[in-house]
Amino acid sequence: GKKLDLKTLPGKYLIICFYDPDCTHCKEVIPYLHKLCIKYDQKNLTVVAFNTSDDIDLWNSFIRKHKLQDWINVWDPDRNISEYDSFYDTPLSPSFYILDMERKIVSKDIEIEDVETFLIESLSPQN
């Protein structure tokens, strides 16, 4: 029920992921993303996870099962408040975007492997 302003979120980088908790690929990739985020510098990284499903119970269960409570989990069931699907052009699930400190998109509609590469290059302890 609250609006979210991405510009006010902490972190050097923001990962926005769009996923459906009933999607087979999402069931593998989203928990993997969570492990990656734990592995890298969490002070410099914030994740906003958009549920694209209409099933709120399935979504809540997915969050609990995969311990995603440390993410910012959002849902716009009618897609009329955020209009995220038209702004971010999210035809596939999962879909990932990375935003910089100014909240400009630096990588869009990328695969999990690209997210991992970005994290390695940008947030590894030696960087």
Side-chain angles (χ1 to χ4, degrees), residues 19 30-31 34 62-64 66-71 73:
Y19 74 97
I30 298 303
H34 190 253
F62 189 87
I63 291 169
R64 283 189 306 276
H66 298 289
K67 299 176 176 60
L68 306 177
Q69 294 89 342
D70 55 334
W71 285 1
N73 295 286

Side-chain angles (χ1 to χ4, degrees), residues 6 9 16 43-44 54 56 68 72 75 86 90 105 112 118:
L6 299 180
L9 298 177
I16 301 177
K43 296 181 305 255
N44 287 313
D54 294 333
I56 192 168
L68 306 177
I72 298 170
W75 184 48
S86 63
T90 58
I105 297 172
I112 189 66
F118 179 86

Side-chain angles (χ1 to χ4, degrees), residues 3-100:
K3 288 187 178 183
L4 178 66
D5 183 355
L6 299 180
K7 292 179 181 176
T8 64
L9 298 177
K12 184 175 181 180
Y13 297 105
L14 181 68
I15 296 177
I16 301 177
C17 65
F18 300 92
Y19 74 97
D20 181 336
D22 201 31
C23 157
T24 302
H25 188 54
C26 297
K27 289 176 184 179
E28 296 173 12
V29 170
I30 298 303
Y32 183 70
L33 175 62
H34 190 253
K35 288 177 186 174
L36 286 175
C37 292
I38 291 169
K39 181 178 179 179
Y40 293 95
D41 187 356
Q42 294 179 47
K43 296 181 305 255
N44 287 313
L45 186 62
T46 298
V47 176
V48 176
F50 276 83
N51 169 34
T52 61
S53 161
D54 294 333
D55 188 335
I56 192 168
D57 294 328
L58 180 65
W59 175 51
N60 284 323
S61 174
F62 189 87
I63 291 169
R64 283 189 306 276
K65 178 181 179 181
H66 298 289
K67 299 176 176 60
L68 306 177
Q69 294 89 342
D70 55 334
W71 285 1
I72 298 170
N73 295 286
V74 294
W75 184 48
D76 182 3
D78 299 323
R79 297 183 169 127
N80 61 354
I81 296 171
S82 64
E83 297 178 341
Y84 69 84
D85 53 345
S86 63
F87 183 76
Y88 286 100
D89 188 26
T90 58
L92 301 174
S93 184
S95 187
F96 304 99
Y97 291 75
I98 300 175
L99 285 65
D100 66 11

